[in-house]
Amino acid sequence: MKDLVSNKETDVVIAKKLGLTEDEFKSIVTILGRTPNFTELSVFSVMWSEHCSYKNSIKYLKTLPRSGSNLLVEAGEENAGLVDIGQGLACAFKIESHNHPSAIEPYQGAATGVGGIHRDIFTMGARPIAALNSLRFGDLARPHTQHLVKGVVKGIGDYGNCLGVPTIGGETYFNNCYNQNILVNAMSIGTVKVGETVSATADGVGNPVYIVGSATGKDGIHGATFASADLTEDSADDLPAVQVGDPFQEKLLLEASLEAIQTGAIVGMQDMGAAGICCSSSEMSAKSGTGMNINLDKVPTRQADMEPFEILLSESQERMLIVCHKGKEAALEAVFDKWDLECEIIGEVTDTKRLVMTFRGETVVDVPSNELVLGGGAPVYDREYKEAAYYKKLNAFDMTQIAEPTDYLATAKKLMTSNNLASKAWISEQYDSMVRTNSMHSNMPSDGHSIRIKGTEKAIVAAVDCNSSFVYADPYIGAMIAVSEAARNIACTGGKPLAVTNCLNFGNPYNPEVYWQFVNVIKGMGEACKAFDTPVTGGNVSFYNQTQINDTVIPVYPTPTIGMIGLLEDLDNQTGLGFKKPGDVIIQLGVTQNEINQSEYLRFIHEVTESPVPSFNLQDEQHLQNAILDCIYAKTVQSAHDISDGGLFMNLIESSMVNRLGFELTTDPSIRKDAFLFGESQSRIVISCSEDQVSKINTICEKHNVTTAIIGKVTDGSIQVDEDQYSDINDFINIFKNQLPSILNN
């Protein structure tokens, strides 16, 4: 065997440079019974990186609810979650991050994040039908942030638009904690007939192993390791770790893969994402209890003289590893030849439970596949954690020390200039939301984003949600709120929440305060998911999201992005957020608390970032969501919109803008006016209805123990709060629509 490591001292040094600890290096020596060569060490380094092994998170991830009546596969069993949606159909869905690549090269980083998540869906045999995203950037006044925003948005738009998958929704937030380390989380949703999915397996000794799709290049090498390390001032030097995408090639690969599945030639298939060939080959082999012999000379490459570790670790995009039934090679090759894609046999399945890789006649890798992977021999850690020092400071906040506005109209207009509340149309209009003509959001804007399933009366409703300021203030409660808001958005649309995928973005897990955030987020998320019967089907953990500038380390806010899907059983029940006609009654479901905790109003108007999380009760939230669904199913509701960022006033403005209507609002004198208008206390929904439905709505809500209050009525465009005229909706529309373009078009 070719050994590129020369002595034991050098071994440890190289192992550390590759991201392994000294103890991990010793474990590898024990596993192999010898010193690994450089290529083997490289394989272990990427497979045991946080990005692939979840070594610092898997202990707690296993505590999340992982099974449910609608799930067709257990969490982590396949590339994506799979949920039964009736009529012989299933929904495959997943969310993942591409944070560090996007921070270094925003266009390709975001584009390849989109491409990778769609491959996870069609690798299972599902056709991607919708995409969503969750984006976090720093201070938008900084030119660097503007550069990142423009690059990320263009990368997402170009890739998704060319691939022909509509981007139907998402969220974008701005906070200084993301100034260097932005977050780019991409979600894909697909549909497939039950029983026609493909698993990531390598069954059948003697079956040929194919690499299909694009040729392999030097882009993305050690991308998994790059994703499992802190960003520093020198991270731009790691640009080769960023992959380069080609959406047109992916479109060919999508169609070829789905067609190849229909031939019956495929035993198993897996996307080559993080860690490339070594990841897909080891995971497929470990899952089946088999092994593989692979000849790296057979791998089509884009560059001459690539080293074996470069071929193995490359994360070049638009590639798959396929195990084919022996004897059906011609059928498989014919499909990929038709689509003008590479389709080369590079090895075969063995019964050795080992990965044996040869290059130019020499064995360069000989390792047990199970020892490389999550759930096998990959290390599992439980890091030290302690309550964050800032936590007690937040709870010392006193609202009485915050002065109420002297001019509420001026305050309301200024609040709408917050980049977090302003229209994100500058972003969303760069995405094709209507391709394939199934998106329902344009005709009826709603809290959840609906995509109809052709040939049925059903629609999938999806949401991505996380208020990271809430999670920062209290990781346990904040995570509950993130799950609850996603479910609330689906319920307000008329859908029943089904399942969750998550993208857990945190700082360095070796920081005890960061790990405290992580542990408490998992606890809160688990409780909320159990309450809504939305099992966690999988997702992604992204640690090391922080920036080191000189001696200062700045972690991002803990950001557990929740991707949730629900089912709208009857398209007639789809409910929008927009007011329908003047004279309708406006009713609030749920109770307003006398607080402004962690509100955008407190942060943006008063520049106070240190305050507790808003009040929250999980049982109240369950009652609220059951009530709104019953109200919708009883055909009593004209519109439904949950109260979230910006509070009640922003909720009413958003509902008014859809049809250029307005509202008259009466505040509650027992609650501070700024808390009533701008506070973000949870578990509240605003509905509008005709006057003759009020009694019926009250009866339904009383049955669910949900408080109701008539707070106003819909107008023809004028806005009035108590006795004060707030101009009309057009003034607010202009502010809302022009904020981001005024910055990003400069």
Side-chain angles (χ1 to χ4, degrees):
M1 177 180 295
K2 188 176 182 181
D3 193 338
L4 303 181
V5 177
S6 57
N7 61 68
K8 290 184 178 180
E9 285 187 12
T10 308
D11 298 343
V12 176
V13 171
I14 292 176
K16 288 181 177 179
K17 286 183 177 179
L18 292 175
L20 295 162
T21 66
E22 187 169 349
D23 286 341
E24 287 171 346
F25 175 76
K26 291 177 181 177
S27 295
I28 294 167
V29 172
T30 300
I31 289 168
L32 298 181
R34 56 176 171 78
T35 300
N37 66 37
F38 178 78
T39 304
E40 291 170 330
L41 202 55
S42 296
V43 169
F44 272 99
S45 74
V46 292
M47 293 304 300
W48 284 12
S49 69
E50 182 65 38
H51 194 69
C52 291
S53 74
Y54 298 115
K55 59 188 176 185
N56 290 308
S57 56
I58 190 60
K59 174 182 176 180
Y60 292 95
L61 295 178
K62 286 182 176 179
T63 67
L64 293 169
R66 298 159 61 88
S67 59
S69 57
N70 293 309
L71 293 192
L72 296 175
V73 297
E74 292 290 319
E77 189 176 315
E78 296 294 349
N79 287 321
L82 194 67
V83 177
D84 192 336
I85 56 175
Q87 293 183 239
L89 295 172
C91 175
F93 69 108
K94 189 179 183 183
I95 190 169
E96 282 198 342
S97 66
H98 227 223
N99 301 335
H100 287 186
S102 301
I104 299 300
E105 210 301 293
Y107 180 84
Q108 289 294 350
T112 52
V114 171
I117 197 64
H118 285 316
R119 284 196 301 280
D120 279 340
I121 300 304
F122 69 77
T123 297
M124 292 181 66
R127 178 175 290 279
I129 62 170
L132 299 93
N133 55 67
S134 175
L135 311 177
R136 313 282 160 150
F137 299 101
D139 178 5
L140 195 52
R142 302 171 71 238
H144 182 63
T145 301
Q146 295 171 28
H147 161 73
L148 293 174
V149 171
K150 292 174 182 178
V152 164
V153 171
K154 184 169 175 55
I156 292 172
D158 284 359
Y159 204 102
N161 297 351
C162 293
L163 188 60
V165 179
T167 301
I168 63 171
E171 60 175 6
T172 304
Y173 283 93
F174 301 91
N175 188 293
N176 289 351
C177 73
Y178 306 109
N179 270 346
Q180 297 294 330
N181 202 138
I182 63 175
L183 303 183
V184 176
N185 297 174
M187 180 175 175
S188 178
I189 298 170
T191 54
V192 61
K193 289 182 180 178
V194 175
E196 293 191 3
T197 54
V198 171
S199 186
T201 56
D203 297 336
V205 174
N207 280 333
V209 177
Y210 281 83
I211 188 169
V212 303
S214 295
T216 298
K218 293 187 178 184
D219 55 317
I221 293 173
H222 271 295
T225 308
F226 175 55
S228 305
D230 294 333
L231 286 184
T232 70
E233 292 173 310
D234 299 323
S235 290
D237 295 339
D238 293 324
L239 193 60
V242 179
Q243 307 93 332
V244 178
D246 182 345
F248 299 104
Q249 191 83 340
E250 175 122 333
K251 174 62 174 173
L252 299 178
L253 184 60
L254 162 62
E255 300 300 339
S257 298
L258 296 182
E259 186 175 325
I261 290 169
Q262 297 303 312
T263 67
I266 293 179
V267 174
M269 177 165 59
Q270 181 161 323
D271 163 44
M272 285 186 200
I277 294 173
C278 68
C279 182
S280 50
S281 60
S282 60
E283 289 183 346
M284 292 174 75
S285 299
K287 186 172 183 178
S288 293
T290 57
M292 287 186 189
N293 287 344
I294 291 179
N295 183 352
L296 297 179
D297 296 302
K298 299 291 187 181
V299 176
T301 58
R302 292 202 296 265
Q303 287 141 298
D305 300 322
M306 288 183 69
E307 294 287 346
F309 83 91
E310 293 176 318
I311 297 171
L312 275 172
L313 271 60
S314 168
E315 295 181 14
S316 292
Q317 298 292 284
E318 295 90 36
R319 299 179 303 155
M320 302 284 199
L321 198 71
I322 292 178
V323 174
C324 176
H325 285 287
K326 192 173 182 62
K328 295 187 176 181
E329 294 91 342
L332 182 72
E333 291 170 9
V335 171
F336 285 93
D337 182 61
K338 168 187 169 182
W339 291 97
D340 196 25
L341 292 169
E342 298 277 8
C343 181
E344 296 291 336
I345 295 177
I346 61 171
E348 66 176 5
V349 177
T350 68
D351 61 2
T352 63
K353 299 184 179 181
R354 300 183 73 83
L355 293 181
V356 179
M357 315 278 192
T358 60
F359 184 70
R360 295 176 182 170
E362 294 187 69
T363 298
V364 292
V365 172
D366 185 353
V367 298
S369 55
N370 193 62
E371 299 302 315
L372 292 172
V373 302
L374 166 67
V380 175
Y381 300 124
D382 184 5
R383 297 293 174 199
E384 172 194 0
Y385 61 90
K386 65 178 182 180
E387 182 179 288
Y390 67 78
Y391 186 59
K392 286 185 173 61
K393 181 179 178 182
L394 301 187
N395 291 304
F397 171 75
D398 181 0
M399 184 173 74
T400 63
Q401 301 301 307
I402 303 297
E404 288 192 58
T406 56
D407 185 335
Y408 270 91
L409 173 57
T411 300
K413 287 185 173 181
K414 181 179 178 183
L415 183 59
M416 290 196 65
T417 66
S418 162
N419 294 327
N420 287 329
L421 300 182
S423 169
K424 305 304 187 297
W426 186 94
I427 294 172
S428 61
E429 287 174 356
Q430 296 188 50
Y431 308 148
D432 188 340
S433 63
M434 297 305 296
V435 63
R436 302 187 72 85
T437 67
N438 292 318
S439 176
M440 300 165 64
H441 193 75
S442 295
N443 293 336
M444 187 184 291
S446 53
D447 282 5
H449 301 277
S450 304
I451 191 96
R452 72 187 175 106
I453 306 167
K454 283 182 178 174
T456 76
E457 292 301 311
K458 301 172 185 280
I460 294 167
V461 188
V464 288
D465 279 291
C466 179
N467 187 319
S468 61
S469 295
F470 291 177
V471 186
Y472 170 79
D474 190 316
Y476 174 69
I477 298 295
M480 281 191 187
I481 291 174
V483 174
S484 298
E485 185 174 356
R488 196 187 315 141
N489 284 333
I490 289 171
C492 283
T493 309
K496 184 183 186 308
L498 290 181
V500 160
T501 178
N502 57 40
C503 202
L504 309 179
N505 307 275
F506 291 85
N508 192 322
Y510 292 82
N511 178 336
E513 294 189 359
V514 167
Y515 208 68
W516 170 80
Q517 293 172 334
F518 172 74
V519 170
N520 280 279
V521 159
I522 295 296
K523 290 179 180 178
M525 183 185 302
E527 286 195 32
C529 287
K530 288 174 185 174
F532 296 113
D533 191 23
T534 52
V536 179
T537 62
N540 174 221
V541 178
S542 177
F543 282 129
Y544 304 97
N545 291 294
Q546 55 191 34
T547 303
Q548 183 169 343
I549 302 176
N550 298 323
D551 294 327
T552 303
V553 175
I554 307 169
V556 301
Y557 279 3
T559 311
T561 303
I562 302 298
M564 185 180 288
I565 62 160
L567 187 63
L568 186 65
E569 288 277 9
D570 185 344
L571 295 177
D572 287 342
N573 287 329
Q574 185 192 10
T575 304
L577 62 86
F579 293 144
K580 295 295 192 300
K581 65 180 191 293
D584 277 352
V585 178
I586 301 173
I587 302 175
Q588 178 179 298
L589 313 187
V591 177
T592 298
Q593 305 293 332
N594 192 30
E595 64 185 12
I596 54 175
N597 298 352
Q598 283 298 330
S599 62
E600 189 67 17
Y601 161 73
L602 182 61
R603 288 192 301 272
F604 186 71
I605 300 297
H606 295 284
E607 299 182 351
V608 174
T609 59
E610 309 294 314
S611 65
V613 70
S615 303
F616 179 74
N617 181 286
L618 187 55
Q619 189 174 55
D620 289 346
E621 183 71 41
Q622 288 177 277
H623 292 164
L624 176 73
Q625 294 190 26
N626 290 334
I628 188 61
L629 283 173
D630 277 0
C631 288
I632 289 171
Y633 297 159
K635 307 297 184 184
T636 63
V637 174
Q638 292 288 344
S639 68
H641 186 23
D642 83 310
I643 299 176
S644 57
D645 302 333
L648 173 62
F649 188 82
M650 193 66 198
N651 168 287
L652 297 173
I653 290 291
E654 289 173 343
S655 291
S656 297
M657 286 190 291
V658 175
N659 294 309
R660 290 187 179 266
L661 298 175
F663 58 88
E664 291 180 2
L665 172 67
T666 301
T667 62
D668 184 341
S670 69
I671 297 173
R672 247 179 72 153
K673 192 168 182 175
D674 56 351
F676 188 85
L677 292 176
F678 311 127
E680 296 179 16
S681 52
Q682 295 297 293
S683 306
R684 296 181 295 159
I685 295 170
V686 171
I687 63 174
S688 65
C689 66
S690 58
E691 196 165 342
D692 61 357
Q693 296 295 330
V694 173
S695 176
K696 192 172 183 179
I697 288 168
N698 286 338
T699 299
I700 292 171
C701 290
E702 186 176 351
K703 181 184 76 172
H704 289 287
N705 199 29
V706 171
T707 300
T708 62
I710 295 175
I711 59 174
K713 67 178 183 180
V714 179
T715 71
D716 61 1
S718 63
I719 296 174
Q720 180 177 313
V721 178
D722 296 328
E723 301 303 318
D724 299 323
Q725 292 294 326
Y726 277 34
S727 185
D728 64 25
I729 190 62
N730 291 318
D731 282 353
F732 288 94
I733 288 174
N734 289 334
I735 298 169
F736 181 72
K737 287 188 172 181
N738 292 328
Q739 175 61 24
L740 288 192
S742 70
I743 299 171
L744 293 167
N745 289 340
N746 189 342

